[in-house]
Coordinates of all heavy atoms in Angstrom, one line a residue:
M1 N 0.8 -1.2 0.0 CA 0.0 0.0 0.0 C 0.9 1.3 0.0 O 1.9 1.3 0.7 CB -0.9 0.0 1.2 CG -2.1 0.9 1.0 SD -3.3 1.0 2.3 CE -3.0 -0.1 3.6
S2 N 0.5 2.2 -0.8 CA 1.2 3.5 -0.9 C 1.1 4.2 0.5 O 0.2 4.2 1.2 CB 0.7 4.3 -2.0 OG 0.9 5.7 -1.7
D3 N 2.2 5.0 0.7 CA 2.2 5.8 1.9 C 1.2 6.9 1.8 O 0.8 7.6 2.8 CB 3.6 6.5 2.1 CG 4.5 5.6 2.9 OD1 4.0 4.5 3.4 OD2 5.6 5.9 3.2
E4 N 0.7 7.2 0.6 CA -0.3 8.3 0.5 C -1.7 7.8 0.8 O -2.6 8.6 0.9 CB -0.3 8.8 -1.0 CG 0.9 9.6 -1.3 CD 1.2 10.7 -0.3 OE1 0.2 11.5 -0.1 OE2 2.2 10.8 0.3
V5 N -1.9 6.5 1.0 CA -3.3 6.0 1.3 C -3.6 6.2 2.7 O -2.8 6.0 3.6 CB -3.4 4.5 0.9 CG1 -4.7 3.9 1.3 CG2 -3.1 4.4 -0.6
G6 N -4.8 6.6 3.0 CA -5.4 6.6 4.3 C -5.2 7.9 5.1 O -5.7 8.1 6.2
W7 N -4.6 8.9 4.5 CA -4.5 10.2 5.2 C -5.8 11.0 5.1 O -6.3 11.1 4.0 CB -3.3 11.0 4.6 CG -2.0 10.5 5.0 CD1 -1.2 9.7 4.2 CD2 -1.2 10.6 6.2 NE1 0.0 9.4 4.8 CE2 0.0 9.9 6.1 CE3 -1.5 11.3 7.4 CZ2 0.9 9.9 7.1 CZ3 -0.5 11.3 8.4 CH2 0.6 10.5 8.2
V8 N -6.3 11.6 6.2 CA -7.5 12.3 6.2 C -7.2 13.7 6.8 O -6.6 13.8 7.9 CB -8.6 11.6 7.0 CG1 -9.9 12.4 7.0 CG2 -8.9 10.2 6.4
T9 N -7.7 14.7 6.1 CA -7.6 16.1 6.7 C -8.7 16.2 7.8 O -9.8 16.0 7.5 CB -7.9 17.2 5.6 OG1 -6.8 17.0 4.6 CG2 -7.8 18.6 6.2
V10 N -8.2 16.6 9.0 CA -9.1 16.6 10.1 C -9.3 18.0 10.7 O -10.3 18.3 11.4 CB -8.7 15.7 11.2 CG1 -8.8 14.2 10.8 CG2 -7.2 15.9 11.6
A11 N -8.4 18.9 10.4 CA -8.5 20.3 10.9 C -7.5 21.2 10.2 O -6.6 20.7 9.5 CB -8.2 20.3 12.4
Q12 N -7.7 22.5 10.3 CA -6.7 23.4 9.8 C -5.7 23.8 11.0 O -6.1 23.8 12.1 CB -7.5 24.7 9.4 CG -8.4 24.5 8.3 CD -7.6 24.2 7.0 OE1 -6.9 25.0 6.5 NE2 -7.9 23.0 6.5
R13 N -4.5 24.0 10.6 CA -3.5 24.3 11.5 C -3.8 25.4 12.5 O -3.5 25.3 13.7 CB -2.2 24.7 10.7 CG -1.0 25.0 11.5 CD -0.4 23.6 11.9 NE 0.9 23.9 12.6 CZ 0.9 24.3 13.9 NH1 -0.2 24.7 14.5 NH2 2.1 24.5 14.4
A14 N -4.5 26.4 12.0 CA -4.9 27.6 12.8 C -5.9 27.2 13.9 O -6.1 28.0 14.9 CB -5.4 28.7 11.9
A15 N -6.6 26.1 13.8 CA -7.6 25.7 14.8 C -7.0 25.1 16.0 O -7.7 24.9 17.0 CB -8.5 24.7 14.2
L16 N -5.6 24.9 16.0 CA -5.0 24.2 17.2 C -3.8 25.0 17.6 O -2.7 24.8 17.1 CB -4.6 22.8 16.7 CG -4.0 21.9 17.8 CD1 -5.0 21.7 19.0 CD2 -3.7 20.5 17.2
A17 N -4.0 25.9 18.6 CA -2.9 26.7 19.1 C -2.0 25.9 19.9 O -2.3 24.8 20.4 CB -3.5 27.9 19.9
E18 N -0.8 26.4 20.1 CA 0.2 25.7 20.9 C -0.3 25.5 22.3 O -0.9 26.4 22.9 CB 1.5 26.6 21.0 CG 2.7 25.8 21.1 CD 4.0 26.6 20.8 OE1 4.1 27.1 19.7 OE2 4.8 26.7 21.8
G19 N -0.1 24.3 22.9 CA -0.6 24.0 24.2 C -2.0 23.6 24.3 O -2.5 23.4 25.4
E20 N -2.7 23.4 23.1 CA -4.1 23.1 23.2 C -4.4 21.7 22.6 O -3.5 21.1 22.0 CB -4.9 24.2 22.3 CG -4.9 25.5 23.0 CD -5.9 26.4 22.6 OE1 -6.6 26.2 21.5 OE2 -6.1 27.5 23.2
V21 N -5.6 21.2 22.9 CA -6.1 19.9 22.5 C -7.4 20.1 21.8 O -8.2 21.0 22.2 CB -6.1 18.9 23.6 CG1 -6.9 19.5 24.8 CG2 -6.7 17.6 23.2
L22 N -7.6 19.4 20.7 CA -8.8 19.5 19.9 C -9.4 18.1 19.5 O -8.6 17.3 19.1 CB -8.4 20.3 18.6 CG -9.5 20.5 17.5 CD1 -10.5 21.5 18.0 CD2 -8.9 21.0 16.2
G23 N -10.7 18.0 19.7 CA -11.3 16.7 19.4 C -11.8 16.8 17.9 O -12.4 17.8 17.5
V24 N -11.5 15.7 17.1 CA -12.0 15.6 15.8 C -12.6 14.2 15.5 O -12.3 13.3 16.3 CB -10.9 16.0 14.7 CG1 -10.4 17.4 14.9 CG2 -9.8 15.0 14.8
E25 N -13.3 14.1 14.4 CA -13.9 12.8 14.1 C -13.4 12.4 12.7 O -13.3 13.2 11.8 CB -15.4 12.9 14.0 CG -16.1 13.6 15.2 CD -16.1 12.6 16.4 OE1 -16.2 11.4 16.2 OE2 -16.1 13.2 17.5
I26 N -13.1 11.1 12.6 CA -12.9 10.4 11.3 C -13.9 9.3 11.3 O -13.7 8.3 12.0 CB -11.5 9.9 11.1 CG1 -10.5 11.0 11.2 CG2 -11.4 9.2 9.8 CD1 -9.0 10.6 10.9
G27 N -15.0 9.5 10.5 CA -16.1 8.5 10.5 C -16.6 8.5 12.0 O -17.0 9.5 12.5
D28 N -16.7 7.2 12.5 CA -17.2 7.1 13.9 C -16.1 7.1 14.9 O -16.3 6.8 16.1 CB -18.1 5.9 14.0 CG -17.4 4.6 13.7 OD1 -16.2 4.7 13.4 OD2 -18.1 3.6 13.7
Q29 N -14.9 7.4 14.5 CA -13.7 7.4 15.4 C -13.4 8.8 15.9 O -13.3 9.7 15.1 CB -12.5 6.8 14.6 CG -11.3 6.6 15.4 CD -10.3 5.7 14.8 OE1 -10.3 5.6 13.5 NE2 -9.5 5.0 15.5
S30 N -13.3 8.9 17.2 CA -13.0 10.2 17.8 C -11.5 10.2 18.1 O -11.0 9.3 18.8 CB -13.8 10.3 19.1 OG -13.7 11.6 19.6
I31 N -10.9 11.3 17.7 CA -9.4 11.5 17.8 C -9.1 12.8 18.4 O -9.8 13.8 18.2 CB -8.8 11.4 16.4 CG1 -9.0 9.9 15.9 CG2 -7.4 11.8 16.3 CD1 -8.5 9.7 14.5
A32 N -8.1 12.8 19.3 CA -7.7 14.0 19.9 C -6.4 14.5 19.3 O -5.5 13.7 19.1 CB -7.4 13.8 21.4
L33 N -6.3 15.8 18.9 CA -5.1 16.4 18.4 C -4.5 17.2 19.4 O -5.2 17.9 20.2 CB -5.4 17.2 17.2 CG -6.1 16.6 16.0 CD1 -6.5 17.7 14.9 CD2 -5.3 15.5 15.3
Y34 N -3.1 17.3 19.5 CA -2.4 18.1 20.5 C -1.4 18.9 19.8 O -0.7 18.4 18.9 CB -1.7 17.1 21.5 CG -2.6 16.0 22.0 CD1 -2.7 14.8 21.4 CD2 -3.3 16.2 23.2 CE1 -3.4 13.8 21.9 CE2 -4.1 15.2 23.7 CZ -4.2 14.0 23.1 OH -5.0 13.0 23.6
N35 N -1.2 20.1 20.3 CA -0.1 20.9 19.8 C 0.9 21.1 20.9 O 0.6 21.8 21.9 CB -0.6 22.3 19.3 CG 0.4 23.2 18.7 OD1 1.6 23.0 19.1 ND2 0.1 24.1 17.9
V36 N 2.0 20.4 20.9 CA 3.0 20.4 21.9 C 4.2 21.2 21.3 O 4.9 20.7 20.4 CB 3.5 19.0 22.3 CG1 4.6 19.1 23.4 CG2 2.3 18.2 22.9
D37 N 4.4 22.4 21.7 CA 5.6 23.2 21.2 C 5.6 23.3 19.7 O 6.7 23.2 19.1 CB 6.9 22.7 21.8 CG 7.0 22.8 23.3 OD1 6.3 23.7 23.9 OD2 7.6 21.9 23.9
G38 N 4.4 23.4 19.1 CA 4.3 23.5 17.7 C 4.3 22.2 16.9 O 4.1 22.2 15.7
E39 N 4.5 21.1 17.6 CA 4.4 19.8 17.0 C 3.1 19.2 17.2 O 2.5 19.3 18.3 CB 5.5 18.8 17.5 CG 6.9 19.1 17.2 CD 7.2 18.9 15.7 OE1 6.7 17.9 15.2 OE2 7.9 19.7 15.1
I40 N 2.5 18.6 16.2 CA 1.1 18.1 16.3 C 1.2 16.5 16.5 O 1.9 15.8 15.8 CB 0.3 18.4 15.0 CG1 0.4 19.8 14.6 CG2 -1.2 18.0 15.3 CD1 -0.1 20.8 15.6
Y41 N 0.4 16.1 17.5 CA 0.3 14.6 17.8 C -1.2 14.3 17.8 O -2.1 15.1 18.0 CB 0.9 14.3 19.1 CG 2.4 14.7 19.2 CD1 2.8 15.9 19.6 CD2 3.3 13.8 18.7 CE1 4.1 16.3 19.6 CE2 4.7 14.1 18.7 CZ 5.1 15.4 19.2 OH 6.4 15.7 19.2
A42 N -1.5 13.0 17.6 CA -2.9 12.5 17.6 C -3.0 11.2 18.4 O -2.1 10.3 18.2 CB -3.4 12.3 16.2
T43 N -4.0 11.1 19.2 CA -4.3 9.8 19.9 C -5.8 9.6 19.8 O -6.6 10.5 19.4 CB -4.0 9.9 21.4 OG1 -4.9 10.7 22.1 CG2 -2.5 10.4 21.6
D44 N -6.2 8.3 20.1 CA -7.6 8.1 20.4 C -8.1 9.1 21.4 O -7.3 9.6 22.3 CB -7.8 6.7 21.1 CG -8.5 5.7 20.2 OD1 -9.3 6.2 19.3 OD2 -8.4 4.5 20.5
N45 N -9.4 9.5 21.2 CA -9.9 10.6 22.1 C -10.5 10.0 23.4 O -10.7 10.7 24.4 CB -10.9 11.5 21.4 CG -11.1 12.8 22.1 OD1 -10.5 13.1 23.0 ND2 -12.1 13.5 21.5
I46 N -10.9 8.7 23.3 CA -11.6 8.1 24.4 C -10.6 7.5 25.4 O -9.8 6.6 25.0 CB -12.6 7.0 24.0 CG1 -13.5 7.5 22.8 CG2 -13.4 6.5 25.1 CD1 -14.3 8.7 23.1
C47 N -10.6 7.9 26.6 CA -9.7 7.4 27.6 C -9.8 5.9 27.7 O -10.9 5.3 27.5 CB -10.1 8.0 29.0 SG -8.9 7.6 30.3
T48 N -8.7 5.2 28.0 CA -8.7 3.7 28.1 C -9.2 3.3 29.4 O -9.4 2.1 29.7 CB -7.3 3.2 27.9 OG1 -6.4 3.7 28.9 CG2 -6.7 3.5 26.5
H49 N -9.5 4.2 30.4 CA -10.0 3.8 31.7 C -11.5 3.7 31.8 O -12.0 2.7 32.3 CB -9.4 4.8 32.7 CG -9.9 4.6 34.1 ND1 -10.6 5.5 34.9 CD2 -9.7 3.5 34.9 CE1 -10.9 5.0 36.0 NE2 -10.3 3.8 36.1
A50 N -12.2 4.7 31.3 CA -13.6 4.6 31.3 C -14.0 5.6 30.1 O -13.2 5.9 29.3 CB -14.2 5.1 32.6
F51 N -15.3 6.0 30.1 CA -15.7 6.9 29.0 C -15.5 8.3 29.3 O -16.3 8.9 30.0 CB -17.1 6.6 28.5 CG -17.4 7.3 27.2 CD1 -17.1 6.7 26.0 CD2 -18.0 8.5 27.2 CE1 -17.3 7.3 24.8 CE2 -18.2 9.2 26.0 CZ -17.9 8.6 24.8
A52 N -14.5 8.9 28.8 CA -14.3 10.3 28.9 C -13.4 10.8 27.6 O -12.6 10.0 27.1 CB -13.5 10.7 30.1
M53 N -13.6 12.0 27.2 CA -12.9 12.5 26.1 C -11.7 13.3 26.5 O -11.8 14.2 27.3 CB -13.8 13.6 25.3 CG -15.1 13.0 24.8 SD -14.8 12.1 23.3 CE -16.4 12.3 22.5
L54 N -10.6 12.8 26.0 CA -9.3 13.5 26.4 C -9.3 14.9 25.9 O -8.6 15.8 26.5 CB -8.1 12.7 25.9 CG -8.0 11.3 26.5 CD1 -6.7 10.6 25.9 CD2 -7.9 11.3 28.0
S55 N -10.0 15.2 24.8 CA -10.1 16.6 24.3 C -10.8 17.5 25.3 O -10.7 18.7 25.1 CB -10.7 16.6 22.9 OG -12.0 16.1 23.0
D56 N -11.5 17.0 26.3 CA -12.0 17.8 27.4 C -11.1 17.9 28.5 O -11.4 18.6 29.6 CB -13.4 17.2 27.9 CG -14.5 17.2 26.8 OD1 -14.4 18.1 26.0 OD2 -15.3 16.3 26.9
G57 N -9.9 17.3 28.4 CA -9.0 17.3 29.5 C -8.0 18.5 29.4 O -8.2 19.5 28.7
W58 N -6.8 18.4 30.1 CA -5.8 19.4 30.2 C -4.5 18.9 29.6 O -4.0 17.9 30.1 CB -5.7 19.9 31.6 CG -7.0 20.4 32.1 CD1 -7.5 21.7 32.0 CD2 -8.0 19.7 32.8 NE1 -8.7 21.8 32.6 CE2 -9.1 20.6 33.1 CE3 -8.1 18.3 33.2 CZ2 -10.2 20.2 33.7 CZ3 -9.3 17.9 33.9 CH2 -10.3 18.9 34.1
L59 N -4.0 19.7 28.7 CA -2.7 19.4 28.1 C -1.6 20.1 28.9 O -1.6 21.3 29.1 CB -2.6 19.8 26.7 CG -1.3 19.4 25.9 CD1 -1.1 17.9 25.9 CD2 -1.4 19.9 24.5
D60 N -0.7 19.3 29.5 CA 0.3 19.9 30.4 C 1.7 19.4 29.8 O 2.0 18.3 30.0 CB 0.1 19.4 31.8 CG 1.2 19.8 32.7 OD1 2.0 20.8 32.4 OD2 1.4 19.2 33.8
G61 N 2.3 20.3 29.0 CA 3.5 19.9 28.3 C 3.1 18.8 27.3 O 2.3 19.1 26.5
D62 N 3.7 17.6 27.4 CA 3.4 16.6 26.5 C 2.5 15.5 27.1 O 2.4 14.4 26.6 CB 4.6 16.0 25.8 CG 5.5 15.3 26.8 OD1 5.2 15.4 28.0 OD2 6.5 14.7 26.4
C63 N 1.8 15.9 28.2 CA 0.9 14.9 28.9 C -0.5 15.5 28.8 O -0.7 16.7 29.1 CB 1.3 14.8 30.3 SG 2.9 14.0 30.5
I64 N -1.4 14.6 28.5 CA -2.8 14.9 28.6 C -3.4 14.3 29.9 O -3.2 13.1 30.2 CB -3.6 14.5 27.3 CG1 -5.1 14.9 27.4 CG2 -3.5 13.0 27.1 CD1 -5.3 16.4 27.2
E65 N -4.2 15.1 30.6 CA -4.8 14.7 31.8 C -6.3 14.5 31.5 O -7.0 15.4 31.1 CB -4.6 15.6 32.9 CG -5.2 15.1 34.3 CD -4.9 16.1 35.4 OE1 -3.7 16.4 35.6 OE2 -5.9 16.5 36.1
C66 N -6.8 13.3 31.8 CA -8.2 13.0 31.6 C -9.1 13.8 32.5 O -8.8 13.9 33.7 CB -8.4 11.5 31.8 SG -10.1 11.0 31.6
P67 N -10.2 14.3 32.0 CA -11.1 15.1 32.8 C -11.9 14.4 33.9 O -12.4 15.0 34.8 CB -12.0 15.8 31.8 CG -12.1 14.8 30.7 CD -10.7 14.2 30.6
L68 N -12.0 13.0 33.7 CA -12.9 12.3 34.6 C -12.2 11.8 35.9 O -12.7 12.1 37.0 CB -13.5 11.1 33.9 CG -14.7 10.4 34.5 CD1 -15.8 11.4 34.8 CD2 -15.2 9.4 33.6
H69 N -11.0 11.2 35.8 CA -10.4 10.7 37.0 C -8.9 11.1 37.0 O -8.1 10.5 37.8 CB -10.4 9.2 37.1 CG -11.8 8.6 37.0 ND1 -12.2 7.9 35.9 CD2 -12.9 8.7 37.8 CE1 -13.5 7.5 36.0 NE2 -13.9 8.0 37.1
A70 N -8.6 12.1 36.2 CA -7.2 12.6 36.2 C -6.1 11.6 35.8 O -4.9 11.8 36.2 CB -6.9 13.3 37.5
G71 N -6.5 10.6 35.1 CA -5.4 9.7 34.5 C -4.6 10.5 33.5 O -5.1 11.5 32.8
R72 N -3.4 10.2 33.3 CA -2.5 10.9 32.4 C -1.8 10.0 31.3 O -1.4 8.9 31.6 CB -1.4 11.6 33.2 CG -2.0 12.8 34.0 CD -1.0 13.2 35.1 NE 0.2 13.8 34.6 CZ 0.4 15.1 34.3 NH1 -0.5 15.9 34.4 NH2 1.6 15.5 33.9
F73 N -1.7 10.6 30.1 CA -1.0 9.9 29.0 C 0.0 10.8 28.4 O -0.2 12.0 28.3 CB -2.0 9.5 27.9 CG -3.1 8.6 28.3 CD1 -4.3 9.1 28.8 CD2 -3.0 7.2 28.3 CE1 -5.4 8.3 29.2 CE2 -4.1 6.4 28.7 CZ -5.2 7.0 29.1
E74 N 1.1 10.2 28.0 CA 2.1 10.9 27.2 C 1.7 10.9 25.8 O 1.5 9.9 25.2 CB 3.5 10.2 27.4 CG 4.7 11.0 27.3 CD 5.1 11.3 25.9 OE1 4.8 10.4 25.0 OE2 5.7 12.3 25.6
V75 N 1.4 12.1 25.2 CA 0.7 12.2 23.9 C 1.6 11.7 22.7 O 1.1 11.3 21.7 CB 0.1 13.6 23.6 CG1 -0.8 13.9 24.7 CG2 1.2 14.6 23.4
R76 N 2.9 11.8 22.9 CA 3.8 11.4 21.7 C 3.8 9.9 21.6 O 3.8 9.4 20.4 CB 5.3 11.8 22.0 CG 5.5 13.3 22.1 CD 6.9 13.5 22.6 NE 7.0 14.8 23.3 CZ 7.5 15.9 22.7 NH1 7.8 16.0 21.5 NH2 7.5 17.0 23.5
T77 N 3.7 9.2 22.7 CA 3.8 7.7 22.6 C 2.5 7.0 23.0 O 2.4 5.8 22.8 CB 4.9 7.2 23.6 OG1 4.5 7.6 25.0 CG2 6.2 7.8 23.3
G78 N 1.6 7.7 23.7 CA 0.4 7.1 24.2 C 0.5 6.4 25.5 O -0.4 5.8 26.0
K79 N 1.7 6.5 26.0 CA 2.0 5.7 27.3 C 1.1 6.2 28.4 O 1.0 7.4 28.7 CB 3.5 5.9 27.6 CG 4.0 5.0 28.7 CD 5.5 5.1 28.8 CE 6.0 4.4 30.1 NZ 5.3 3.2 30.5
A80 N 0.5 5.2 29.1 CA -0.3 5.5 30.3 C 0.8 5.8 31.5 O 1.7 5.0 31.7 CB -1.1 4.3 30.7
L81 N 0.5 6.9 32.2 CA 1.5 7.3 33.2 C 1.2 6.9 34.6 O 1.7 7.5 35.5 CB 1.7 8.8 33.0 CG 2.3 9.2 31.7 CD1 2.4 10.7 31.6 CD2 3.7 8.6 31.5
G82 N 0.3 5.9 34.8 CA 0.0 5.5 36.1 C -1.4 5.5 36.5 O -2.2 6.0 35.7
P83 N -1.8 4.9 37.6 CA -3.2 4.8 38.0 C -3.9 6.1 38.0 O -3.3 7.2 38.3 CB -3.1 4.3 39.5 CG -1.7 3.7 39.6 CD -0.8 4.4 38.6
P84 N -5.2 6.1 37.6 CA -6.0 4.9 37.4 C -5.9 4.3 36.0 O -6.5 3.3 35.7 CB -7.4 5.4 37.6 CG -7.4 6.8 37.1 CD -6.0 7.3 37.5
V85 N -5.1 4.9 35.1 CA -5.0 4.4 33.8 C -3.9 3.3 33.7 O -2.8 3.6 34.2 CB -4.8 5.4 32.7 CG1 -6.1 6.2 32.5 CG2 -3.7 6.4 33.0
E86 N -4.2 2.2 33.1 CA -3.2 1.1 33.0 C -2.9 0.8 31.6 O -1.8 0.3 31.3 CB -3.7 -0.2 33.7 CG -3.9 0.0 35.2 CD -4.5 -1.2 35.9 OE1 -5.0 -2.0 35.2 OE2 -4.4 -1.2 37.1
E87 N -3.8 1.1 30.7 CA -3.7 0.7 29.3 C -3.3 1.9 28.5 O -3.9 3.0 28.7 CB -5.0 0.2 28.8 CG -5.0 -0.5 27.4 CD -6.3 -0.9 27.0 OE1 -7.2 -1.2 27.8 OE2 -6.6 -0.9 25.8
D88 N -2.2 1.8 27.7 CA -1.8 2.9 26.9 C -2.9 3.3 25.9 O -3.8 2.5 25.6 CB -0.5 2.5 26.0 CG 0.7 2.2 26.9 OD1 0.6 2.5 28.1 OD2 1.7 1.7 26.4
I89 N -2.8 4.6 25.4 CA -3.8 5.0 24.4 C -3.2 4.9 23.0 O -1.9 5.1 22.9 CB -4.2 6.5 24.8 CG1 -5.5 6.8 24.0 CG2 -3.2 7.5 24.5 CD1 -6.7 7.1 24.9
K90 N -4.0 4.6 22.1 CA -3.5 4.4 20.7 C -3.1 5.8 20.1 O -3.8 6.8 20.3 CB -4.6 3.8 19.9 CG -4.2 3.4 18.5 CD -5.4 2.6 17.9 CE -5.2 2.3 16.4 NZ -3.9 2.0 15.9
T91 N -2.0 5.8 19.4 CA -1.5 7.0 18.7 C -1.7 6.8 17.2 O -1.7 5.7 16.7 CB -0.1 7.3 19.1 OG1 0.8 6.3 18.6 CG2 0.1 7.5 20.5
F92 N -1.7 7.9 16.5 CA -1.9 7.9 15.1 C -0.8 8.8 14.4 O -0.5 9.9 15.0 CB -3.2 8.4 14.6 CG -4.4 7.6 15.2 CD1 -5.0 8.1 16.4 CD2 -4.7 6.4 14.7 CE1 -6.1 7.4 16.9 CE2 -5.8 5.7 15.3 CZ -6.4 6.2 16.4
P93 N -0.3 8.4 13.2 CA 0.6 9.3 12.5 C -0.1 10.6 12.1 O -1.3 10.6 11.7 CB 1.0 8.5 11.3 CG 0.6 7.1 11.5 CD -0.6 7.2 12.5
V94 N 0.6 11.7 12.2 CA 0.1 13.1 11.8 C 1.1 13.7 10.8 O 2.3 13.5 11.0 CB 0.0 14.0 13.1 CG1 -0.5 15.3 12.7 CG2 -0.9 13.3 14.1
R95 N 0.5 14.5 9.9 CA 1.4 15.3 9.0 C 0.7 16.6 8.7 O -0.6 16.7 8.8 CB 1.8 14.5 7.7 CG 0.6 14.3 6.8 CD 1.0 13.6 5.5 NE 0.0 13.5 4.6 CZ 0.0 12.8 3.4 NH1 1.1 12.1 3.1 NH2 -1.0 12.9 2.6
L96 N 1.5 17.5 8.3 CA 0.9 18.8 7.9 C 1.1 18.9 6.4 O 2.2 18.6 5.8 CB 1.7 20.0 8.5 CG 1.4 20.2 10.0 CD1 2.4 21.2 10.6 CD2 0.0 20.7 10.2
V97 N 0.0 19.3 5.7 CA 0.1 19.5 4.2 C -0.4 20.9 4.0 O -1.6 21.1 4.1 CB -0.7 18.4 3.4 CG1 -0.7 18.8 2.0 CG2 -0.2 17.0 3.7
G98 N 0.5 21.8 3.8 CA 0.0 23.2 3.8 C -0.5 23.6 5.1 O 0.1 23.4 6.2
D99 N -1.8 24.1 5.2 CA -2.4 24.4 6.4 C -3.3 23.3 7.0 O -3.9 23.4 8.0 CB -3.3 25.6 6.2 CG -2.5 26.9 6.0 OD1 -1.3 26.9 6.5 OD2 -3.0 27.8 5.3
D100 N -3.3 22.1 6.3 CA -4.1 21.0 6.7 C -3.4 20.1 7.7 O -2.2 19.8 7.5 CB -4.5 20.1 5.5 CG -5.5 20.8 4.6 OD1 -6.0 21.9 4.9 OD2 -5.7 20.3 3.4
I101 N -4.1 19.8 8.8 CA -3.6 18.7 9.6 C -4.2 17.4 9.2 O -5.4 17.3 9.1 CB -4.0 18.9 11.1 CG1 -3.4 20.2 11.6 CG2 -3.5 17.8 12.0 CD1 -3.9 20.6 13.0
Q102 N -3.4 16.4 8.8 CA -3.8 15.2 8.3 C -3.4 14.0 9.3 O -2.3 14.1 9.8 CB -3.3 14.9 6.9 CG -3.8 15.8 5.9 CD -3.4 15.4 4.5 OE1 -2.5 14.7 4.3 NE2 -4.1 15.9 3.5
V103 N -4.4 13.1 9.5 CA -4.1 12.0 10.3 C -4.4 10.7 9.5 O -5.2 10.6 8.7 CB -5.1 12.0 11.5 CG1 -5.1 10.7 12.3 CG2 -4.8 13.2 12.4
K104 N -3.5 9.7 9.8 CA -3.7 8.4 9.2 C -4.3 7.5 10.3 O -3.6 7.0 11.2 CB -2.4 7.9 8.7 CG -2.5 6.7 7.8 CD -1.1 6.5 7.1 CE -1.2 5.5 6.0 NZ 0.0 5.4 5.2
A105 N -5.6 7.2 10.2 CA -6.3 6.6 11.3 C -6.5 5.1 11.1 O -6.9 4.4 12.0 CB -7.6 7.3 11.6
G106 N -6.3 4.6 9.9 CA -6.7 3.2 9.5 C -6.1 2.1 10.4 O -5.3 2.3 11.1
Ligands
FES1 S1 -11.9 7.9 32.4 FE1 -10.0 8.7 32.1 S2 -9.0 8.4 34.0 FE2 -10.9 7.5 34.3

């Protein structure tokens, strides 16, 4: 499969300021985008602990804190950073094409 297959434009670069998190949808999949020091990252938006949207949480450096029970994930790797979250969160490749933020979610 070509590397060009599967990329979806999910937002404009201007919609995601530095230090912010934004929830987007690809089909029925909810994805959180993060701007960490100008670099964009993407993870699943649904916390692995229970049902909460990480895009409603707080981005602190490169860690997202879940709004429901304050579980934390490292957004570059998806690594769960301790209780109550035990399961890492899925990450997705991100690229910028002009002003478009594209995610490969397949
Ligand atoms: S739902 Fe995210 S920490 Fe519990």
Side-chain angles (χ1 to χ4, degrees):
M1 198 178 359
S2 154
D3 270 359
E4 288 306 306
V5 173
W7 290 99
V8 177
T9 297
V10 290
Q12 295 296 295
R13 183 75 177 74
L16 185 59
E18 210 166 299
E20 292 197 347
V21 52
L22 177 70
V24 297
E25 309 285 329
I26 299 180
D28 58 4
Q29 187 161 27
S30 187
I31 290 175
L33 302 175
Y34 311 90
N35 183 335
V36 179
D37 297 331
E39 291 289 321
I40 312 297
Y41 300 92
T43 71
D44 243 341
N45 198 6
I46 311 299
C47 186
T48 59
H49 178 237
F51 189 84
M53 299 282 208
L54 296 180
S55 58
D56 292 332
W58 299 274
L59 185 61
D60 177 16
D62 63 356
C63 295
I64 183 71
E65 183 175 308
C66 178
L68 195 52
H69 309 110
R72 288 162 65 88
F73 300 92
E74 209 276 335
V75 303
R76 297 172 208 261
T77 61
K79 189 171 170 35
L81 296 175
V85 291
E86 295 176 347
E87 189 183 331
D88 295 350
I89 195 116
K90 187 169 170 39
T91 62
F92 302 99
V94 180
R95 70 180 186 184
L96 288 170
V97 177
D99 290 332
D100 291 348
I101 298 173
Q102 295 189 338
V103 171
K104 195 169 189 167

